[in-house]
């Protein structure tokens, strides 16, 4: 099956949005609505409660990451079928995630040493990200098994990536076992996200997002064969960002405030549409397949891991009076640093994890392997 390079570009776009998101939060006026306050009149209100929020909605971008992970991790299982080695998968996947995470933690400690966070900043977000380095916090960020240490705060999403990686056989089994009717599985996942958001159960909010990605992977041949009309294409492109930021569109209305938390389900639908649009809408697909977006897709994981300490450090370095300069410098520093991190940390981690996985597969090749749960109906569907 031909690689879906547009999904790489979508990942790069999401990483850029997260970068912009954190730069915006260094400004007190934009941090306030994120901390359960009310955006000030004028530009802050416009950027918080209108479709313009899609330009810096970090949470929606992370939901796209989750759905994409479900798609990307499932495809090799479907492609290899019973030849897929679960024994080799686990060490390869965990090394692929943990080694860059540990590199990001080391880089974070370097920034803290170079630019101490001793100045009190006006942004409330900068206040809550200023956490003391302790063995407990370092252990939490380094393991990601029972929460995080909140030092490198983007790692909150990696704990769910790791949980999904462990549970991938279960998720693939569900997606494949109910292949002909897994639209019901997707609907159930969306409903579960709404209910779990209301109850505050984070595991049952985020893990179903990966499951939806698994469902998309099982239906990928059908999606790729779809040729929507121009009107449908326009509807996909317009609805995706609106649904992604739906919780923000209803925040100004006091009577609708109780619906903000359950609206995580609507955000998930927006992410689903964004992924499908990246595949079937030619103009969006060409944009995501451009050289620039492919490059950002290539470094997206590194950019996600290293940018936030840069943003916070630049804000402290330049101070509250020069946050615009700090934001510009954050971009200028974060992007090249991400490329260096990609070259020095991520690529070697990827190579090492692949070698370890291949070595384990070679050792167990002649032994009975746990088979990927591929049912006859999905094999026919993939063909």
């Amino acid at each position: 099956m031909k690689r879906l390079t547009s999904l790489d570009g979508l990942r790069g776009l999401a990483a850029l949005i997260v970068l912009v998101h954190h730069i915006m939060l260094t400004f007190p006026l934009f941090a306030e609505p994120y901390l359960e306050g009310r955006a000030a009149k004028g530009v802050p209100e416009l950027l918080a409660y209108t479709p313009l929020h899609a330009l810096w909605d970090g949470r929606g971008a992370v939901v796209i990451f989750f759905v994409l992970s479900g798609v990307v991790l499932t495809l090799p299982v479907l492609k290899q079928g019973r030849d897929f080695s679960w024994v080799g998968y686990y060490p390869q996947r965990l090394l692929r995630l943990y080694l860059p995470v540990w590199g990001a933690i080391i880089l974070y400690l370097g920034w803290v040493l170079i630019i101490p966070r001793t100045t009190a900043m006006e942004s409330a977000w900068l206040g809550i990200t200023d956490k003391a380095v302790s063995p407990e916090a370092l252990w939490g960020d380094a393991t990601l098994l029972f929460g995080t240490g909140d030092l490198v705060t983007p790692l909150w999403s990696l704990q769910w990536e790791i949980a999904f990686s462990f549970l991938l056989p279960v998720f693939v089994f569900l997606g494949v076992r109910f292949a002909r009717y897994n639209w019901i599985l997707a609907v159930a996942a969306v409903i579960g996200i709404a209910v779990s958001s209301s109850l505050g159960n984070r595991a049952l909010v985020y893990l179903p997002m990966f499951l939806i990605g698994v469902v998309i992977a099982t239906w990928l041949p059908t999606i790729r064969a779809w040729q929507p009309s121009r009107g449908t294409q326009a509807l996909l492109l317009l609805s995706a960002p609106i649904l992604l930021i739906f919780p923000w569109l209803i925040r100004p209305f006091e009577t609708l405030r109780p619906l903000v938390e359950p609206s995580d389900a609507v955000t998930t639908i927006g992410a689903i549409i964004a992924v499908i649009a990246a595949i079937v809408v030619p103009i969006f697909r060409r944009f995501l397949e451009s050289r620039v977006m492919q490059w950002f897709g290539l470094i997206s994981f590194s950019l996600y891991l290293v940018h936030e300490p840069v943003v916070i450090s630049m804000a402290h370095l330049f101070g509250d009076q020069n946050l615009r300069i700090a934001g510009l410098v954050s971009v200028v520093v974060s992007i090249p640093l991400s490329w260096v991190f990609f070259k020095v940390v991520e690529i070697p981690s990827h190579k090492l994890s692949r070698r370890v996985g291949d070595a384990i597969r070679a050792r167990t090749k002649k032994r009975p392997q746990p088979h990927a749960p591929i049912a006859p109906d999905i094999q026919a569907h993939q063909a």
Side-chain angles (χ1 to χ4, degrees), residues 55-103:
L55 299 174
W56 62 292
D57 184 45
R59 184 178 179 82
V62 171
V63 175
I64 289 175
F65 284 143
F66 288 167
V67 175
L68 283 175
S69 290
V71 175
V72 171
L73 286 188
T74 303
L75 288 177
V77 184
L78 298 180
K79 182 179 180 180
Q80 297 178 38
R82 298 187 181 280
D83 293 329
F84 187 84
S85 170
W86 291 104
V87 176
Y89 156 77
Y90 278 108
Q92 180 172 336
R93 178 62 179 167
L94 294 178
L95 284 172
R96 177 73 177 88
L97 291 175
Y98 272 115
L99 292 178
V101 164
W102 296 337

Side-chain angles (χ1 to χ4, degrees), residues 24 30 39 42-56 248:
M24 295 288 284
F30 299 119
V43 173
E45 193 173 50
L46 186 68
L47 291 178
Y49 305 131
T50 72
L52 292 175
H53 192 95
L55 299 174
W56 62 292
W248 284 95

Side-chain angles (χ1 to χ4, degrees), residues 179-183 215-223 381-382:
R180 294 187 182 278
Y181 308 100
N182 57 17
W183 63 270
V215 171
I216 292 175
T218 63
W219 282 98
L220 196 55
T222 301
I223 294 171
H381 182 63
Q382 287 293 317

Side-chain angles (χ1 to χ4, degrees), residues 141-371:
D141 274 1
T143 58
L144 300 174
L145 295 177
F146 306 101
T148 70
D150 291 328
L151 295 177
V152 186
T153 58
L155 294 183
W156 75 265
S157 67
L158 269 294
Q159 66 177 308
W160 303 113
E161 290 275 359
I162 289 169
F164 168 64
S165 298
F166 276 115
L167 295 171
L168 181 63
V170 177
F171 281 48
V172 172
F173 173 79
L174 290 174
V176 170
R177 179 66 178 82
F178 303 101
R180 294 187 182 278
Y181 308 100
N182 57 17
W183 63 270
I184 299 176
L185 197 63
V187 171
V190 170
I191 294 173
I193 290 169
V195 174
S196 301
S197 296
S198 301
L199 298 176
N201 189 319
R202 294 189 301 166
L204 295 181
V205 170
Y206 300 125
L207 291 177
M209 296 175 183
F210 294 97
L211 178 59
I212 289 171
V214 173
V215 171
I216 292 175
T218 63
W219 282 98
L220 196 55
T222 301
I223 294 171
R224 297 183 74 169
W226 183 33
Q227 296 182 341
S229 65
R230 290 187 177 181
T232 303
Q233 292 176 27
L235 181 62
L236 291 173
L237 291 178
L238 290 173
S239 61
I242 296 297
L243 295 176
L244 278 167
I245 63 164
F246 182 76
W248 284 95
L249 299 180
I250 64 175
R251 275 176 186 255
F253 307 99
E254 291 297 329
T255 56
L256 298 179
R257 282 265 174 160
L259 298 178
V260 170
E261 291 299 329
S263 293
D264 278 341
V266 182
T267 297
T268 305
I269 295 173
I272 295 169
I273 295 174
V275 171
I276 294 174
I279 299 171
V280 303
V281 178
I283 188 171
F284 190 39
R285 186 175 64 239
R286 285 194 295 270
F287 166 70
L288 295 175
E289 290 177 344
S290 66
R291 285 190 175 184
V292 172
M293 294 313 302
Q294 287 295 296
W295 187 80
F296 278 112
L298 188 67
I299 67 166
S300 58
F301 187 40
S302 293
L303 179 58
Y304 183 75
L305 288 177
V306 309
H307 79 278
E308 193 211 44
V310 176
V311 171
I312 296 173
S313 296
M314 293 304 106
H316 280 273
L317 179 64
F318 288 94
D320 284 314
Q321 303 305 315
N322 298 291
L323 289 176
R324 292 182 181 179
I325 297 175
L328 179 60
V329 174
S330 295
V331 174
V332 172
V333 173
S334 294
I335 293 175
L337 180 61
S338 300
W339 174 250
V340 173
F341 190 88
F342 173 73
K343 287 289 190 177
V344 175
V345 178
E346 192 176 349
I347 288 180
S349 299
H350 198 180
K351 290 181 177 178
L352 176 61
S353 66
R354 180 170 293 180
R355 284 199 297 268
V356 170
D358 289 344
I360 292 174
R361 292 184 190 96
R363 283 178 171 271
T364 58
K365 190 173 183 180
K366 295 182 180 180
R367 303 175 188 175
Q369 292 289 307
H371 289 157

